[in-house]
Amino acid sequence: MGGLGKTTLAQLVYNDHRVQDHFDLKAWTCVSNDFDVIRLTKTILRCITKQTIDDSDLNLLQEELNKQLSRKKFLLVLDDVWNENYNDWVDMSRPLEAGAPGSKIIVTTRNQEVVAIMGTAPAYQLKRLSTDDCLSVFTQHSLDSRDFSSNKSLEEIGKKIVIKCNGLPLAAKTLGGLLRGKHGPSDWEDVLSSNIWDLPEDRCGILPALRVSYYYLSPPLKQCFAYCSLLPKDYEFEEEEIILLWIAEGFLDHEDSDEEKEDLGHQFFQELCSRSFFEKSSNDTSKFVMHDLVNDLARWAAGEIYFIMEGTLEVNKQQRISRNLRHLSYIRGEYDGVKRFAGFYDIKYLRTFLSIMLSNNSRGYLACSILHQLLKLQQLRVFSLCGYYIYELPNSIGDLRYLRYLNLSRTNIRNLPESITKLYNLHTLLLEDCDRLKTLCADIGNLIKLHHLKNSNTISLQEMPLRFGKLTCLQTLCNFVVGNDRGSRLRELKFLMHLRGTLDISNLDNVKHVGDAKEAHLSGKKNLKVLLLRWARNSFDSRVPETETRVLDMLKPHQNLEEFCINGYRVGQLRSLKHLEVRGMSGVKRFEFRVLWE
């Protein structure tokens, strides 16, 4: 059954330092209901090589995996396996046979049939925790202690709550997170006596302890958590990814709060983490996942206004779509045609159309007619076309006047239509990995509510438009491309005082006036953590060393900077350098010096 701690136990083994020293290679992949051999092979390769492979040829993928595993002792964890098809497992296991003797595969599953099909050693059946062990888990999360020695007044109530956890560590952990920081007996009594315990589990399929934890969330937190029902099971997500969606939906628009929406979103996210609704991913510690049962809880809480489409929408399933539907997500396919979205075009009040990619390196095709139909949904707040082979957007995108979040990342778009500048409410514009994008909108400065322009890896972007500095609310700007005489000058950065995170300034060889560098006022941008300064390496002959030196001298960052990179700086060819001294930079976490030219 779920919630017994199968994945947690596998994580403890996987991350143990003795295991690290014992194996040459380690890989972890969440399998869930989708036993796609190609996807799983790619995931294992990514874990081993730390690189993504954009290839869907199973033979080539398995040849590469065979090569990587050959004569190496590896540990592979296949988490949450449900598939009962023996042939799928045979296909999956072929390259695994190349490993050295002593290689191990750990499988977690709720399905006893999987044990026989995969030909594993006898299964280790996890049992419910004893009352004492369950109590220890509960107090650890509620009181930061193994027992009630420092909180005797809560002991009797706590033991009664733990009995209701029925020996499930997930339940004990979640309820412990709910009561964390609450040391008044009345708060604990309220949880113990809540009527929601009495709702029969077979009527809703949700563990009573999880229902109680959800019940005691504040209304804003309930709303934010229910929105996460749009995420597929085992989907790994970043904190900022979720917060920007919450902001776009208006969930963080609280008049009684003077905090930035992003900071309030961080508080909400961390509170859901503290209650074990979100957990760190085993694959990538910068990402999070929801336990399957927590994901079920989110879908139970979401009701009929949310819908996640994980496959093709068949005719008999269309009847389940409510006319009250407001938020739709789906797993992006390789070819998404008209039939897949039949039934959604008539839902006039749809606020969320969210394409979700399970693999960051793959792209798919979307029928042109679908895009034109979607742009008629004029109540949209969130619109994601991430990962499609889309080369241009219709001008009708400008009709979505309520739109606050637009994701065009990993598309093939070359130019943004000028009509985007009519989206006066736009808060987030995502253009990451749009490697063919050459220009932004000429009047992008009209988007005065834009807070996040994520345009990392836009290697073809030629320059920022004129008057770019009008975007005074910008907090995220991944790449600022200095224009020539026609484009934005470096001095436009002067007005972007709220920038945070990472800023990459490229084409600095286009700076002709030292005053532009001084007016960029980098020293006043105290929230920047990473700064990259780039000169084009193919422009050496036309550059003036004296100007270049003075430009660099003027681009002094704030002392809060943690990482600083200079690339292509001509005066940096210090072949005779014997001594390099860095002072007064106590916040710097890493410093690299590389010889780029011989």
Side-chain angles (χ1 to χ4, degrees):
M1 66 179 300
L4 282 173
K6 296 181 291 296
T7 298
T8 301
L9 181 58
Q11 287 173 334
L12 290 172
V13 173
Y14 188 78
N15 294 318
D16 190 281
H17 69 90
R18 291 167 295 180
V19 170
Q20 180 70 41
D21 297 336
H22 186 74
F23 293 98
D24 301 317
L25 298 170
K26 293 196 311 177
W28 180 295
T29 180
C30 293
V31 181
S32 198
N33 292 323
D34 180 25
F35 198 96
D36 184 321
V37 177
I38 292 177
R39 179 184 70 84
L40 295 176
T41 306
K42 283 184 178 181
T43 303
I44 296 169
L45 276 170
R46 187 166 64 247
C47 286
I48 293 172
T49 65
K50 309 304 179 187
Q51 297 177 346
T52 53
I53 300 177
D54 189 14
D55 199 314
S56 295
D57 187 310
L58 180 59
N59 286 331
L60 292 177
L61 290 170
Q62 292 201 327
E63 284 177 9
E64 180 62 24
L65 183 56
N66 186 295
K67 176 182 175 182
Q68 293 291 335
L69 297 180
S70 179
R71 290 181 287 184
K72 293 178 181 176
K73 189 159 57 174
F74 67 85
L75 171 65
L76 171 62
V77 177
L78 300 176
D79 186 34
D80 195 24
V81 178
W82 287 87
N83 184 60
E84 298 180 10
N85 189 314
Y86 176 74
N87 292 329
D88 286 345
W89 170 239
V90 170
D91 291 341
M92 176 73 212
S93 62
R94 285 193 184 103
L96 305 181
E97 297 171 359
S103 296
K104 301 294 181 183
I105 301 174
I106 297 176
V107 177
T108 71
T109 182
R110 293 188 228 170
N111 189 342
Q112 187 65 34
E113 293 297 319
V114 170
V115 179
I117 289 171
M118 301 186 79
T120 67
Y124 182 81
Q125 298 282 356
L126 286 189
K127 299 178 181 179
R128 297 174 189 267
L129 295 180
S130 68
T131 301
D132 288 343
D133 287 340
C134 197
L135 189 66
S136 180
V137 172
F138 174 76
T139 54
Q140 182 180 355
H141 286 275
S142 60
L143 302 173
D144 262 336
S145 173
R146 288 289 184 180
D147 53 39
F148 289 96
S149 56
S150 301
N151 298 273
K152 287 294 186 181
S153 62
L154 300 174
E155 185 170 8
E156 184 179 351
I157 312 169
K159 287 181 176 179
K160 291 179 180 178
I161 292 174
V162 166
I163 290 173
K164 288 179 173 284
C165 292
N166 206 16
L168 296 179
L170 177 63
K173 184 170 66 170
T174 306
L175 285 179
L178 168 64
L179 292 170
R180 190 175 185 86
K182 298 179 180 179
H183 296 164
S186 60
D187 292 323
W188 290 48
E189 286 282 5
D190 286 345
V191 170
L192 178 62
S193 59
S194 172
N195 291 331
I196 201 166
W197 288 103
D198 301 327
L199 184 63
E201 187 176 340
D202 57 2
R203 281 179 49 193
C204 65
I206 305 299
L207 286 176
L210 296 183
R211 294 200 305 265
V212 171
S213 296
Y214 170 77
Y215 178 78
Y216 281 97
L217 293 177
S218 66
L221 268 179
K222 284 182 178 178
Q223 189 177 41
C224 289
F225 175 65
Y227 193 84
C228 296
S229 65
L230 295 177
L231 304 178
K233 290 189 175 181
D234 297 322
Y235 177 72
E236 298 179 345
F237 52 90
E238 295 179 349
E239 177 178 348
E240 186 185 40
E241 176 185 355
I242 302 302
I243 291 173
L244 293 182
L245 291 169
W246 288 345
I247 292 174
E249 300 293 355
F251 296 163
L252 304 178
D253 294 343
H254 298 294
E255 296 179 0
D256 57 345
S257 175
D258 295 327
E259 293 183 277
E260 289 275 359
K261 293 182 178 65
E262 288 78 5
D263 295 333
L264 183 60
H266 174 70
Q267 289 182 25
F268 281 16
F269 193 94
Q270 291 304 313
E271 186 165 353
L272 290 171
C273 286
S274 71
R275 300 188 182 200
S276 299
F277 288 119
F278 301 152
E279 298 178 342
K280 288 278 188 180
S281 165
S282 300
N283 259 338
D284 185 345
T285 55
S286 69
K287 294 184 177 182
F288 298 82
V289 294
M290 289 193 294
H291 190 283
D292 279 2
L293 298 182
V294 174
N295 190 291
D296 290 339
L297 174 67
R299 298 186 188 191
W300 171 75
E304 62 181 10
I305 68 171
Y306 291 88
F307 187 85
I308 178 169
M309 183 168 58
E310 295 180 286
T312 303
L313 196 66
E314 298 168 357
V315 175
N316 62 337
K317 291 185 178 180
Q318 292 183 20
Q319 298 173 355
R320 294 165 44 194
I321 301 174
S322 169
R323 288 293 167 184
N324 296 323
L325 181 66
R326 294 293 181 270
H327 309 284
L328 167 70
S329 72
Y330 66 99
I331 298 173
R332 201 220 62 225
E334 188 173 357
Y335 299 96
D336 289 333
V338 176
K339 289 184 178 180
R340 184 167 194 198
F341 301 101
F344 288 113
Y345 306 131
D346 296 331
I347 302 175
K348 298 179 180 179
Y349 299 103
L350 197 68
R351 295 169 60 115
T352 304
F353 185 88
L354 189 61
S355 165
I356 294 179
M357 296 173 57
L358 295 182
S359 172
N360 286 337
N361 212 36
S362 63
R363 300 189 183 185
Y365 293 89
L366 181 70
C368 293
S369 59
I370 293 176
L371 184 54
H372 287 278
Q373 289 286 346
L374 293 174
L375 294 178
K376 296 178 182 179
L377 301 173
Q378 297 191 10
Q379 301 296 317
L380 283 177
R381 268 71 166 173
V382 169
F383 190 30
S384 172
L385 296 170
C386 179
Y388 279 119
Y389 285 106
I390 295 175
Y391 292 87
E392 61 180 5
L393 278 181
N395 281 323
S396 54
I397 186 73
D399 296 335
L400 304 181
R401 62 184 186 276
Y402 297 112
L403 197 65
R404 301 177 75 178
Y405 176 105
L406 178 59
N407 188 353
L408 301 173
S409 295
R410 301 181 185 90
T411 62
N412 287 23
I413 194 165
R414 297 187 178 96
N415 304 288
L416 294 181
E418 284 301 316
S419 60
I420 281 184
T421 60
K422 297 179 182 178
L423 304 176
Y424 300 117
N425 290 302
L426 198 63
H427 178 275
T428 299
L429 177 57
L430 304 182
L431 300 168
E432 295 182 288
D433 300 312
C434 291
D435 49 18
R436 300 193 182 189
L437 181 66
K438 293 184 177 180
T439 61
L440 302 175
C441 314
D443 292 325
I444 198 171
N446 291 344
L447 302 177
I448 57 174
K449 294 184 180 179
L450 192 65
H451 282 61
H452 303 278
L453 175 55
K454 302 189 75 170
N455 62 331
S456 58
N457 299 322
T458 48
I459 56 177
S460 300
L461 193 60
Q462 297 170 347
E463 60 188 13
M464 310 312 281
L466 292 170
R467 296 174 293 280
F468 190 83
K470 292 172 64 178
L471 302 175
T472 55
C473 289
L474 268 187
Q475 294 182 12
T476 302
L477 174 61
C478 299
N479 183 17
F480 183 92
V481 184
V482 180
N484 51 27
D485 293 337
R486 296 180 295 109
S488 260
R489 292 183 176 181
L490 190 59
R491 67 177 60 205
E492 294 289 334
L493 287 172
K494 171 183 179 180
F495 307 102
L496 310 183
M497 296 304 297
H498 301 292
L499 291 180
R500 57 171 71 177
T502 299
L503 173 62
D504 186 342
I505 305 176
S506 56
N507 286 8
L508 279 166
D509 42 291
N510 282 336
V511 178
K512 307 303 180 187
H513 306 285
V514 176
D516 285 350
K518 183 177 181 179
E519 288 200 40
H521 197 42
L522 290 186
S523 61
K525 297 173 177 38
K526 61 182 181 181
N527 294 318
L528 278 181
K529 299 302 179 186
V530 180
L531 178 64
L532 298 93
L533 304 180
R534 301 181 190 271
W535 281 260
R537 297 186 184 181
N538 58 1
S539 60
F540 286 155
D541 295 340
S542 61
R543 286 151 60 177
V544 181
E546 293 78 10
T547 301
E548 199 166 319
T549 303
R550 294 180 65 195
V551 166
L552 180 61
D553 190 49
M554 292 295 179
L555 294 176
K556 295 179 179 178
H558 193 275
Q559 61 186 9
N560 290 348
L561 199 71
E562 296 176 359
E563 187 175 334
F564 188 32
C565 178
I566 301 173
N567 196 314
Y569 179 59
R570 183 175 185 179
V571 187
Q573 300 180 63
L574 307 174
R575 296 186 179 89
S576 301
L577 181 69
K578 295 181 178 179
H579 179 72
L580 177 65
E581 191 168 325
V582 179
R583 293 182 177 180
M585 303 175 72
S586 58
V588 171
K589 295 183 178 179
R590 187 178 73 185
F591 184 85
E592 292 185 6
F593 183 77
R594 300 177 183 175
V595 177
L596 299 179
W597 296 274
E598 297 298 332

